[in-house]
């Protein structure tokens, strides 16, 4: 008998069961080496798709499409609001995150956000999210998520899930997972104030390790376990003017999880969970991590170049 996770209501239990089941199917495909090559298609964000992007999207969609508590499904790999029923909950998905990294063996995963009473694109915002987090398709199949204000981690042993609360809040570490250190011009306001992101515990600036897995779920798993700062800024380069990560199904669920652990988030000016949503696939600069580092980012943005 496979056990899943008991949420707060039977409606949410059903949605979690569907998500956990789909993650098992995707993980089994990945372990067989299935889908690890480019497809001929691309998605709403303009990303080239690998075959596993499509396999993962279909696994989640098929698991959710018969649930009459699900109103809409939103996915990186599909356009628009996909109507399922008149139920109360909508599920936004990044069905395979870090898909290009999966091609070279870096752990990928899936990101999910459950929104209550969403009716329009604009309703898929940080105030309506009730649960969210991610699966890691790595050495093991794992889950890290916030269900309401409680935070859990899950491990699948091939038959059952063991899900337990994450105690102790967000750790603190001298680690910066920052994109744009290399191939992108960082925004001037951040370049100028970079030193302010570094911890000065004990009065001296501490050396910081740089980490960038190009797989948000991998960078966020390290964030949950060790703390630090994750940053994907916008850049004055074509296609990156609003950053690269998508607000609804990457930034909001990750911000929701890390804020439930006592961390913080910003787009440079306001919490990601406070941002208005215009379009389902809109992009945003993303800074998520320890409160002190997010405060430093917002101070740098205010101070300007
Ligand atoms: P996805 O595979 O769902 O399109 O997401 C990839 C994202 C995210 O996982 C990661 O943080 C970022 O893209 C990496 O971007 P770069 O390739 O520009 O480093
Ligand atoms: Mn993609
Ligand atoms: Mn992604
Ligand atoms: Mn994806």
């Amino acid at each position: 008998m496979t056990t899943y996770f008991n949420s707060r209501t039977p409606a949410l239990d059903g949605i979690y069961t569907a998500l956990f089941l789909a993650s098992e199917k995707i993980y089994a495909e990945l372990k067989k080496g299935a889908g690890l090559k480019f497809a001929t298609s691309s998605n709403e964000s303009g990303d080239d798709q690998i075959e596993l992007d499509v396999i993962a999207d279909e696994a989640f969609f098929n698991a959710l499409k018969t649930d009459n508590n699900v109103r809409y499904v939103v996915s990186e790999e599909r356009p628009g609001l996909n109507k399922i029923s008149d139920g109360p909950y909508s599920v936004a998905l990044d069905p395979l995150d870090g898909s290009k990294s999966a091609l070279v063996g870096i752990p990928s995963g899936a990101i999910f956000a459950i929104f209550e009473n969403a009716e329009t694109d604009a309703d898929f915002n940080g105030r309506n999210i009730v649960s969210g987090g991610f699966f890691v398709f790595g050495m093991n199949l794992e889950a890290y998520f916030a269900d309401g204000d409680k935070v859990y981690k899950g491990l699948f042993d091939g038959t059952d899930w063991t899900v337990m609360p994450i105690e102790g809040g967000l750790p603190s570490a001298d680690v910066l997972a920052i994109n744009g250190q290399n191939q992108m011009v960082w925004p001037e306001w951040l370049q100028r104030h970079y030193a302010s992101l570094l911890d000065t515990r004990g009065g001296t600036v501490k050396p910081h390790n740089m980490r960038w897995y190009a797989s948000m779920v991998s960078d966020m798993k390290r964030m949950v376990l060790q703390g630090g700062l994750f940053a994907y800024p916008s850049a004055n380069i074509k296609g990156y003017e609003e950053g690269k990560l998508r607000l609804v199904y990457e930034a909001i669920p990750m911000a929701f999880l890390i804020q439930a652990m006592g961390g913080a988030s910003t787009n440079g000016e306001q919490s990601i969970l406070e941002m208005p949503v215009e379009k389902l696939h809109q992009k945003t600069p993303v800074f998520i991590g320890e409160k002190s580092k997010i405060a430093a980012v917002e101070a740098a943005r205010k101070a300007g170049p």
Side-chain angles (χ1 to χ4, degrees):
M1 158 66 180
T2 300
T3 55
Y4 292 100
F5 167 70
N6 294 321
S7 181
R8 292 150 289 160
T9 65
L12 284 170
D13 281 354
I15 293 172
Y16 275 108
T17 301
L19 293 172
F20 278 43
L21 259 176
S23 77
E24 293 165 31
K25 288 195 172 68
I26 299 160
Y27 189 60
E29 287 299 299
L30 177 59
K31 283 294 188 188
K32 286 188 299 196
L36 291 180
K37 51 182 180 297
F38 279 98
T40 53
S41 46
S42 63
N43 66 20
E44 293 295 296
S45 306
D47 282 7
D48 293 333
Q49 289 173 313
I50 71 169
E51 290 175 358
L52 196 60
D53 277 316
V54 179
I55 292 168
D57 175 65
E58 279 163 8
F60 281 116
F61 193 80
N62 290 338
L64 290 164
K65 71 182 180 188
T66 54
D67 185 331
N68 59 20
N69 286 304
V70 175
R71 186 172 304 180
Y72 295 110
V73 172
V74 166
S75 166
E76 178 195 348
E77 310 308 337
R78 285 169 192 259
L81 297 172
N82 299 277
K83 178 90 176 187
I84 303 295
S85 77
D86 292 328
Y89 294 113
S90 292
V91 183
L93 289 154
D94 178 352
L96 184 67
D97 174 68
S99 52
K100 310 301 182 296
S101 294
L103 295 175
V104 293
I106 293 177
S108 55
I111 307 171
F112 68 90
I114 305 175
F115 295 90
E116 195 159 23
N117 295 328
E119 197 42 60
T120 64
D121 290 13
D123 294 333
F124 284 79
N125 65 56
R127 280 184 216 82
N128 294 330
I129 183 171
V130 294
S131 297
F134 59 95
F135 294 97
V136 180
F137 305 143
M139 271 191 303
N140 295 301
L141 173 55
E142 303 170 347
Y144 297 86
F145 59 98
D147 179 64
D149 59 1
K150 301 223 176 3
V151 187
Y152 298 90
K153 63 183 172 190
L155 177 64
F156 183 63
D157 65 10
T159 310
D160 286 330
W161 282 88
T162 304
V163 179
M164 59 185 76
I166 296 177
E167 310 290 357
L170 190 67
S172 176
D174 303 329
V175 174
L176 301 173
I178 295 184
N179 197 331
Q181 277 294 324
N182 37 32
Q183 89 276 23
M184 289 202 290
V185 174
W186 247 30
E188 285 201 13
W189 57 272
L190 208 48
Q191 279 183 45
R192 186 172 161 71
H193 300 278
Y194 177 76
S196 69
L197 301 180
L198 306 179
D199 276 4
T200 53
R201 269 173 274 173
T204 56
V205 174
K206 293 175 70 71
H208 277 54
N209 281 322
M210 293 295 290
R211 295 283 186 270
W212 187 255
Y213 292 134
S215 157
M216 193 179 195
V217 296
S218 299
D219 282 319
M220 280 299 156
K221 174 181 171 181
R222 192 198 45 255
M223 169 81 64
V224 168
L225 300 180
Q226 296 176 356
L229 172 71
F230 173 96
Y232 201 129
S234 56
N236 45 10
I237 292 181
K238 187 167 169 3
Y240 288 87
E241 298 84 351
E242 294 305 314
K244 173 187 179 184
L245 298 178
R246 284 56 57 105
L247 176 56
V248 169
Y249 43 79
E250 287 174 314
I252 287 174
M254 291 305 196
F256 181 72
L257 169 60
I258 300 303
Q259 290 187 208
M261 293 184 75
S265 72
T266 186
N267 64 351
E269 294 170 351
Q270 66 179 137
S271 161
I272 283 168
L273 299 186
E274 297 300 319
M275 287 177 67
V277 171
E278 270 110 42
K279 287 273 156 244
L280 286 176
H281 297 278
Q282 81 182 65
K283 297 176 180 177
T284 177
V286 179
F287 304 88
I288 297 175
E290 295 172 46
K291 273 202 166 96
S292 58
K293 296 195 182 308
I294 297 300
V297 167
E298 290 190 334
R301 179 76 179 81
K302 219 180 182 123

